[in-house]
Amino acid sequence: MSEHYEVLARKYRPHNFNELVGQSHTIRTLVNALDNNHLHHGFLFTGTRGVGKTTIARIFAKSVNCETGVSSNPCGKCETCLEIDLGQSVDLIELDAASHTGVDNMREILENAQYTPTKNLYKIYLIDEVHMLSKSSFNALLKTLEEPPKHIKFLLATTDPKKLPITILSRCLQFNLNKLTHNEILEHLKFIMNSEKLEFEDKALSKIADFGNGSMRDALSLLDQSISYGNGSVKDKDITEMLGLVNHSDIAKLALLVIEKKAKEALLLIRDLAHRGENLSTTLKDLTSLFHKISTAQMIVDEKQISPEIIDLANKISAQDLQLFYQIAINGQKDMQHSPSEQTGLEMTILRMIAFHPDQENTEKKNLKPSHSDKTALKKNKDNSINSDYLDKTNNKDVELDVIKAPDIKSQDDWEKVIVELGFEGAAKMLVKNTLFNSLVDSTLKLTLNNEFMNLLTKNTKNSIEKTLRSFYSDLTLFIESGETNGSTLSQKESTKLETERKITEEQFLGDDGLKELEETFNTKVDTKSIKSLKETKNV
């Protein structure tokens, strides 16, 4: 390690287009324009942080002002190239719009635009975070953009192009820079570690690439931190400790407990993780990622690309359950910030997964021998126009359910009664509650499924629904199509009812005179999201 350490993001900043990682579409356009000397006066580079906006702009500045001539391959050795690399070029004016939003600053800078470059071919204005300029500053910039001197080039960079006036956008060539892929970041990290002759583990660099989230600068900053933490090496164990990650074996164990419906053991594991001080929000994200990997494994034929652990989990769970778990995990991440604690949020998410897990044993029973309570329930079914009969055999000792014909469902209300009475479970339950009755003709039941739940309509889910229906009604064929349900499904009605009750509770609470007095005394307002009815509190 050198005595005067230079951060990796600066030390390994690309100095020419060949060294750039990713952004091939942008590089190709710029290279062709430079090599053919077909240069526009205004360029706009957009994209998230750390993807190369200002780096590309500086390489472009070298390309047009290199003392060897305009080309896509600046020499990097002449005085001009060296000055630009060091940030000392008098003809490259770099402006951070976030700290120079005022119109006076912009006018002062642009007034000098009329003067020719001090020593180079072009005077270049590089304005970073240009969307932060004030309206007056944009107007001043627009005037120069409309009729720029021939010796001026504008290079604008922004993370939020939607905030730019259309008048500015229309006068610039736009280049949208993509987030870098995981592999692009990973390979560059390996290159740097090898160049620095430092020890590393591939798994550790892969985690850093993940946390970079498409930003090379973020990944390099984290790599700097990792090298210091590991005293010159980057190991998986150190990365896990430094980032507060949960051990992968714990995540895999939690996934297995969910798949096997072991709620008690799952809660004990979560409480152990909490006791160890693990980040439970990260735990849920890692579990979501694992579900994605398992789902991918189920679709990939070549098992050489997949770890044995993932293959084992993939063989223990159906595709429909996996999709359900993934959706619940995603929603759980959104709800985490509103939970009383991270532990509560994770526990409720895991319990929700287990509660919605289909119990195949119940749906596979065809011949039933009801108890006294079952007889009462089935009699209730009959009273609700569900056509079933009992054949009393051998002096009423053994009773079997004998299905006579398909249900006489004529309306949405009839269909909702069937949903409640038949007791669908798991993904099948969620699906049927989001359907509308269309018709029942010649034993073919046609339903419309809410568009938002089409991902649940798998072959296994449909078979599960048909099996449950046929266990009571023979020869029934199910046909489901997607469409708009306009708030008329059983699920939507239940949600509307709950929302109405919540609003009534909120209005009653906020209308309390004592509460109003407290708000006035402490000059504050109640967080309406925290208002719950006694019923909701008990459910939690």
Side-chain angles (χ1 to χ4, degrees):
M1 305 275 296
S2 62
E3 184 178 347
H4 300 288
Y5 184 71
E6 185 177 13
V7 296
L8 297 176
R10 291 179 61 87
K11 184 175 182 179
Y12 288 92
R13 181 190 289 273
H15 296 291
N16 56 60
F17 289 118
N18 293 327
E19 294 178 0
L20 275 167
V21 177
Q23 317 304 347
S24 57
H25 63 295
T26 296
I27 295 172
R28 178 179 177 180
T29 305
L30 291 175
V31 166
N32 290 337
L34 287 163
D35 288 342
N36 294 297
N37 203 13
H38 292 161
L39 300 177
H40 199 271
H41 65 274
F43 297 82
L44 174 64
F45 302 102
T46 68
T48 189
R49 67 187 185 280
V51 294
K53 298 185 298 295
T54 54
T55 296
I56 290 176
R58 286 172 182 161
I59 295 174
F60 180 88
K62 287 196 294 185
S63 297
V64 297
N65 279 337
C66 179
E67 294 174 13
T68 62
V70 176
S71 75
S72 63
N73 190 25
C75 71
K77 298 177 181 179
C78 67
E79 187 178 359
T80 297
C81 287
L82 294 175
E83 286 176 347
I84 292 175
D85 281 338
L86 295 172
Q88 298 173 354
S89 173
V90 293
D91 290 326
L92 174 60
I93 299 93
E94 295 193 39
L95 174 67
D96 178 16
S99 54
H100 296 81
T101 59
V103 65
D104 292 337
N105 288 325
M106 183 57 64
R107 282 175 179 164
E108 180 181 351
I109 292 168
L110 294 176
E111 281 176 1
N112 294 322
Q114 59 183 309
Y115 302 113
T116 58
T118 303
K119 58 179 293 188
N120 299 133
L121 184 60
Y122 293 101
K123 181 179 287 188
I124 298 174
Y125 287 90
L126 172 52
I127 306 178
D128 199 11
E129 297 299 344
V130 66
H131 67 274
M132 299 289 286
L133 292 177
S134 65
K135 184 177 180 180
S136 299
S137 295
F138 275 127
N139 290 334
L141 176 61
L142 178 62
K143 184 176 180 181
T144 307
L145 270 176
E146 285 177 334
E147 299 177 0
K150 292 182 179 180
H151 59 269
I152 292 294
K153 299 294 179 189
F154 284 99
L155 306 178
L156 313 180
T158 178
T159 55
D160 195 353
K162 294 180 181 179
K163 292 184 178 179
L164 294 180
I166 188 64
T167 49
I168 298 292
L169 293 172
S170 63
R171 287 166 173 79
C172 297
L173 294 184
Q174 297 182 47
F175 296 91
N176 300 315
L177 306 188
N178 301 321
K179 280 188 173 183
L180 299 175
T181 66
H182 172 88
N183 285 338
E184 286 173 340
I185 295 177
L186 178 58
E187 290 305 314
H188 194 58
L189 296 182
K190 289 181 180 179
F191 165 76
I192 290 174
M193 292 298 289
N194 288 325
S195 299
E196 294 289 310
K197 294 181 173 56
L198 297 176
E199 186 181 356
F200 67 91
E201 293 177 352
D202 286 0
K203 187 181 289 187
L205 294 187
S206 182
K207 287 181 179 178
I208 293 175
D210 280 336
F211 269 77
N213 193 27
S215 169
M216 184 65 78
R217 186 171 66 237
D218 287 1
L220 291 179
S221 296
L222 188 56
L223 183 61
D224 262 321
Q225 184 181 348
S226 305
I227 292 171
S228 297
Y229 188 88
N231 194 25
S233 65
V234 179
K235 302 291 183 67
D236 182 56
K237 181 177 179 295
D238 292 337
I239 293 294
T240 299
E241 292 176 354
M242 187 183 79
L243 298 178
L245 300 177
V246 182
N247 193 290
H248 178 74
S249 62
D250 288 326
I251 302 298
K253 183 178 179 181
L254 183 58
L256 183 60
L257 292 174
V258 170
I259 294 170
E260 295 179 347
K261 298 178 63 178
K262 296 181 178 178
K264 182 178 179 180
E265 290 88 339
L267 292 180
L268 288 174
L269 176 57
I270 292 171
R271 287 164 190 174
D272 180 52
L273 294 175
H275 181 71
R276 281 150 45 187
E278 304 287 9
N279 187 320
L280 299 186
S281 292
T282 302
T283 301
L284 184 53
K285 289 181 182 178
D286 289 346
L287 183 63
T288 309
S289 178
L290 180 58
F291 286 145
H292 164 258
K293 291 176 182 176
I294 298 172
S295 183
T296 302
Q298 290 181 339
M299 300 299 173
I300 295 177
V301 179
D302 186 4
E303 295 186 353
K304 294 180 181 179
Q305 304 177 26
I306 309 165
S307 69
E309 177 189 60
I310 297 294
I311 293 174
D312 182 55
L313 290 171
N315 290 331
K316 292 180 179 178
I317 183 172
S318 68
Q320 74 178 82
D321 292 348
L322 197 54
Q323 292 296 323
L324 180 64
F325 291 163
Y326 182 83
Q327 194 64 46
I328 291 174
I330 290 294
N331 290 330
Q333 291 180 41
K334 298 176 184 175
D335 295 341
M336 189 71 86
Q337 59 181 320
H338 302 299
S339 299
S341 68
E342 282 192 340
Q343 181 176 337
T344 300
L346 180 58
E347 287 180 353
M348 289 302 295
T349 300
I350 295 301
L351 290 176
R352 196 175 299 130
M353 291 178 190
I354 295 174
F356 277 121
H357 192 294
D359 185 355
Q360 297 298 331
E361 293 180 359
N362 289 342
T363 60
E364 290 174 357
K365 291 179 181 177
K366 294 185 178 180
N367 294 322
L368 307 178
K369 293 184 178 181
S371 63
H372 177 73
S373 59
D374 292 329
K375 294 177 184 178
T376 304
L378 287 166
K379 183 178 184 301
K380 181 180 178 183
N381 287 353
K382 186 174 181 181
D383 294 339
N384 282 292
S385 302
I386 297 178
N387 299 302
S388 308
D389 270 351
Y390 289 96
L391 297 182
D392 193 350
K393 299 180 180 179
T394 61
N395 297 323
N396 295 324
K397 291 182 181 179
D398 295 317
V399 181
E400 286 192 0
L401 177 65
D402 184 18
V403 180
I404 296 180
K405 61 178 181 178
D408 186 19
I409 307 173
K410 296 181 179 179
S411 66
Q412 177 66 15
D413 287 342
D414 292 339
W415 172 232
E416 290 176 9
K417 289 178 182 177
V418 170
I419 295 173
V420 174
E421 296 293 343
L422 296 194
F424 295 94
E425 295 188 357
K429 179 179 180 180
M430 184 179 290
L431 191 147
V432 295
K433 288 183 70 173
N434 284 280
T435 58
L436 287 180
F437 169 75
N438 281 346
S439 64
L440 177 57
V441 180
D442 297 331
S443 296
T444 298
L445 177 61
K446 292 186 177 181
L447 304 172
T448 298
L449 175 62
N450 188 322
N451 288 322
E452 296 179 6
F453 291 86
M454 280 303 294
N455 63 311
L456 294 181
L457 185 55
T458 63
K459 183 179 180 180
N460 288 337
T461 310
K462 187 171 182 289
N463 289 341
S464 175
I465 295 171
E466 287 181 330
K467 188 179 293 185
T468 302
L469 288 168
R470 287 172 184 165
S471 66
F472 288 84
Y473 317 111
S474 61
D475 302 325
L476 187 68
T477 302
L478 183 63
F479 179 79
I480 301 177
E481 61 182 2
S482 65
E484 297 293 333
T485 54
N486 300 318
S488 299
T489 66
L490 177 58
S491 178
Q492 289 169 327
K493 289 176 183 177
E494 290 175 347
S495 297
T496 300
K497 182 181 178 182
L498 287 174
E499 181 63 20
T500 301
E501 291 176 350
R502 190 195 66 77
K503 287 183 177 179
I504 292 173
T505 301
E506 182 180 312
E507 290 173 358
Q508 290 175 342
F509 187 78
L510 295 176
D512 183 78
D513 292 336
L515 175 65
K516 292 178 179 178
E517 186 175 342
L518 283 173
E519 288 181 326
E520 291 177 3
T521 302
F522 293 100
N523 190 26
T524 187
K525 290 291 182 183
V526 171
D527 179 8
T528 56
K529 293 180 181 178
S530 67
I531 300 174
K532 298 183 185 298
S533 65
L534 289 176
K535 180 180 177 182
E536 288 179 292
T537 305
K538 289 178 181 179
N539 289 336
V540 174

